[in-house]
Amino acid sequence: MRLQQYLRNPTNKVTAPHAAHYPDLDLWRPLIPVSVFVLSVLLIVAFDLPWISRFSLLLVWPLMWRYNRRYQRLTREYNA
């Protein structure tokens, strides 16, 4: 996420100013797997539920499917 923030920042002059809003640089994309991992660790540490935490990693698939809809919308907006 920090790398994408660095790439999007126009003061760093890594990407062109019009490309800063390119959908591949969306900040939500790297947060999905990390947030699911943190959720599974919290289920183990805070609630002592290791069997549920194993299944919580399966949440990555539907969340990424949901994100894909956002990505398609951002791509349409960027190309328009």
Side-chain angles (χ1 to χ4, degrees):
M1 185 172 156
R2 296 283 300 156
L3 178 62
Q4 287 182 344
Q5 284 178 334
Y6 180 80
L7 290 173
R8 287 178 66 135
N9 192 351
T11 59
N12 295 328
K13 298 180 182 172
V14 177
T15 58
H18 69 279
H21 299 288
Y22 191 71
D24 285 340
L25 297 176
D26 186 25
L27 296 178
W28 283 101
R29 183 182 228 172
L31 284 178
I32 293 173
V34 172
S35 62
V36 171
F37 177 74
V38 168
L39 173 70
S40 67
V41 170
L42 285 175
L43 286 172
I44 292 173
V45 174
F47 301 110
D48 195 29
L49 298 170
W51 60 277
I52 293 178
S53 70
R54 291 184 200 135
F55 295 112
S56 68
L57 295 176
L58 295 174
L59 288 173
V60 171
W61 180 77
L63 290 174
M64 287 303 287
W65 175 78
R66 179 83 172 139
Y67 174 77
N68 190 31
R69 294 177 58 184
R70 173 184 166 85
Y71 179 79
Q72 289 173 354
R73 180 181 53 83
L74 291 174
T75 302
R76 282 192 308 270
E77 291 173 1
Y78 180 77
N79 290 332

